[in-house]
Amino acid sequence: MSGTTESRFLASTVAAYGSQLVRVLLRFGTDIALARLVVPVDHGLFDLALATVLVASVVRDFGVSYQLVRDDREPYGTVFAWSLGSGVLMTLALLAAAPLFAGFHPDLPAVLRGLSPLVLLEALAVVPRVYFERRLEVGRLVLPEILRGATLAVLGVGLALTGAGVWSFVVAELAGAGLVAALLWWRVRGLLVLRFERHLLPDLLRQSLWLCLIALCAFTLPYLERFVVAPFITTAILAEYTKARQWGVRMTTLVVPAVQRVLYPTLVAYRADPTRAFAAFRIGTVSILAAEVLAAYGLYWNPGMAQRLLLGPAWTGAVPLLQALAFLPLVDPFTRLGGELLKAHRRDRIWLVVVALNLLSLLGFGLFLASRHGAPGMAWANYLLLGNVLMAWQVHQILGRDFWRLARDLLVLYLVPLPLFLLVGRVFPNEGWERLGASLAAAALAAGLYALRFGKPFRAFFRPQPEALA
């Protein structure tokens, strides 16, 4: 590795944002097209199958990919052997268990069997991906990830045009995952030596256990809720709820993964330098919230236009759900990156308590509210996650006085756009192109004010003078 941590952090952040931006734009276009080409019932079927496969992938990983980032022994060969073996076993388990899911929809077992190899294909990409992320060389991942997004777009839309329905999603996902795994191994050739050290495996799994439980609770949260609400609504309404949730947190999918993949190894590198660690955490958190706040205000004031432009006429039932979920990303400003902070400080058990509380809250409130109010009840349950309070307290304990500096930053992010969008709602009381245009102008003005407020500390982080961070 060459260059300072700051320079590699910047280069990796730019690469991660670039990759994520292109992929999300591809996903935007693909989702918009498929929402018009594939009926909602098939979307709902795929949502349930994908949720099952992704939960199985977390179990397959067992947290070893997260442990690999911070493990000084660099046991790449041991992790690869584990990923390959557990990937095969979990794929076979899904194939065997598929008939158990027929109660949700009679066609779900077949779709689940078709999608189950995704667990193994994702496992094959773990080691080369972590190798580049650990070294803050995320730029090496950009092309494979963009090509995966292009594959999903071309195959998914192409098959949908032929009337393939839900299988458009299945084939595209499998092809995209296989392509990215092959490209990553091509890029890592000659750089990575794989040595299977069997004696390391028990300790590796022991240290990964807490990370596995954390991932099982945190990563699967938005996928498990599909099964919570599914018994109380039709598969078509489930698809509307899932689409509304996806678009309600779309800026999260754009920004958070790009920041997370760079922030965690950066915080590990800065464990002995709390000033630089806070500066990096601040940059990540403000970057995420700046985008999410503007998207939330825009979606809340324009849910009908969002449905019209993004989903099409078959999805009118998603309009109230879009508005209900618009501000969901804003209620947990510390949870998404707080986990990276806790991992870097090896507070794995505390993080497990946080995500377990969130999971239990979602299951409890979700079952109660969904059974009475259907999909809207499930939407409101997402605002009642108790673990977010504990996460805020943990971030406060780690950051100390800097926590209040960050809290002031978040207050600025939340309040700056509010009067602008209130004015938009007052001048344009009805939804339409005029309100949408005014909302975009308000968001652009707020973004400019953000740049004036936060540009200096962001630039200061990448200068060598630590006093400039104040």
Side-chain angles (χ1 to χ4, degrees), residues 49 62 76 95 146 161 268 278 280 286 294 296 306 359:
F62 203 78
Y76 291 109
L95 290 171
I146 290 176
L161 286 170
V268 171
F278 168 70
V286 170
L294 298 180
L359 181 62

Side-chain angles (χ1 to χ4, degrees), residues 78 103 177 369 409 460:
T78 307
L369 294 173
D409 290 340

Side-chain angles (χ1 to χ4, degrees), residues 1-9:
M1 290 183 290
S2 61
T4 65
T5 300
E6 289 84 6
S7 65
R8 288 185 285 112
F9 175 68

Side-chain angles (χ1 to χ4, degrees), residues 16-28 31 145 219 222-223 226 242-261 287-289 291-292 295 328-329 336:
Y17 269 119
S19 173
Q20 193 71 13
L21 176 61
V22 174
R23 285 186 294 149
V24 169
L25 288 176
L26 284 170
R27 178 67 77 171
F28 275 8
D31 284 353
E145 293 173 346
F219 180 77
Y223 302 107
R226 299 176 188 178
T242 303
K243 275 286 181 285
R245 198 185 193 291
Q246 288 172 346
W247 285 104
V249 298
R250 185 62 76 176
M251 289 308 300
T252 300
T253 66
L254 168 60
V255 182
V256 174
V259 176
Q260 283 180 333
R261 69 192 308 178
S287 298
I288 289 172
L289 265 295
E292 288 181 340
L328 180 58
R336 292 182 296 280

Side-chain angles (χ1 to χ4, degrees), residues 116-347:
S116 59
L118 185 63
V119 177
L120 178 58
L121 293 173
E122 294 284 3
L124 293 175
V126 167
V127 166
R129 174 179 55 79
V130 174
Y131 174 80
F132 289 124
E133 289 179 349
R134 176 181 172 131
R135 296 167 61 87
L136 290 176
E137 297 178 4
V138 176
R140 303 297 300 274
L141 305 176
V142 171
L143 181 60
E145 293 173 346
I146 290 176
L147 290 177
R148 178 179 187 172
T151 301
L152 291 173
V154 173
L155 270 181
V157 174
L159 288 171
L161 286 170
T162 68
V166 66
W167 296 102
S168 308
F169 305 120
V170 174
V171 174
E173 286 287 347
L174 294 177
L179 176 65
V180 80
L183 289 174
L184 288 181
W185 279 107
W186 175 259
R187 292 213 149 189
V188 84
R189 71 192 188 285
L191 301 174
L192 181 61
V193 177
L194 298 179
R195 293 189 301 272
F196 176 58
E197 299 171 284
R198 186 171 59 182
H199 66 281
L200 295 181
L201 187 58
D203 182 64
L204 182 66
L205 295 177
R206 180 185 62 80
Q207 294 193 52
S208 302
L209 175 61
W210 294 106
L211 296 174
C212 173
L213 296 175
I214 290 165
L216 195 60
C217 293
F219 180 77
T220 61
L221 197 65
Y223 302 107
L224 289 176
E225 69 174 312
R226 299 176 188 178
F227 292 98
V228 174
V229 71
F232 308 109
I233 57 177
T234 65
T235 306
I237 295 176
L238 172 66
E240 291 178 345
Y241 174 80
T242 303
K243 275 286 181 285
R245 198 185 193 291
Q246 288 172 346
W247 285 104
V249 298
R250 185 62 76 176
M251 289 308 300
T252 300
T253 66
L254 168 60
V255 182
V256 174
V259 176
Q260 283 180 333
R261 69 192 308 178
V262 177
L263 184 64
Y264 177 33
T266 302
L267 291 175
V268 171
Y270 283 143
R271 278 178 294 192
D273 190 345
T275 300
R276 306 299 283 174
F278 168 70
F281 185 78
R282 182 188 189 190
I283 286 175
T285 302
V286 170
S287 298
I288 289 172
L289 265 295
E292 288 181 340
V293 169
L294 298 180
Y297 278 117
L299 184 59
Y300 182 82
W301 258 266
N302 302 275
M305 291 298 291
Q307 174 263 319
R308 177 180 173 183
L309 295 174
L310 302 176
L311 299 177
W315 301 84
T316 54
V319 173
L321 296 172
L322 282 167
Q323 193 166 44
L325 290 164
F327 291 107
L328 180 58
L330 310 189
V331 299
D332 61 338
F334 303 110
T335 301
R336 292 182 296 280
L337 295 187
E340 311 309 306
L341 193 63
L342 293 182
K343 274 193 297 185
H345 286 262
R346 295 185 179 268
R347 298 192 179 190

Side-chain angles (χ1 to χ4, degrees), residues 427-448:
V427 175
F428 302 101
N430 299 316
E431 268 202 77
W433 291 105
E434 294 84 0
R435 181 192 275 195
L436 179 60
S439 297
L440 293 174
L445 178 57

Side-chain angles (χ1 to χ4, degrees), residues 25-63:
L25 288 176
L26 284 170
R27 178 67 77 171
F28 275 8
T30 304
D31 284 353
I32 291 170
L34 292 175
R36 289 160 171 78
L37 294 172
V38 180
V39 296
V41 171
D42 282 349
H43 281 270
L45 273 174
F46 181 73
D47 291 338
L48 288 172
L50 183 62
T52 306
V53 168
L54 291 178
V55 172
S57 294
V58 175
V59 177
R60 179 266 306 157
D61 185 75
F62 203 78

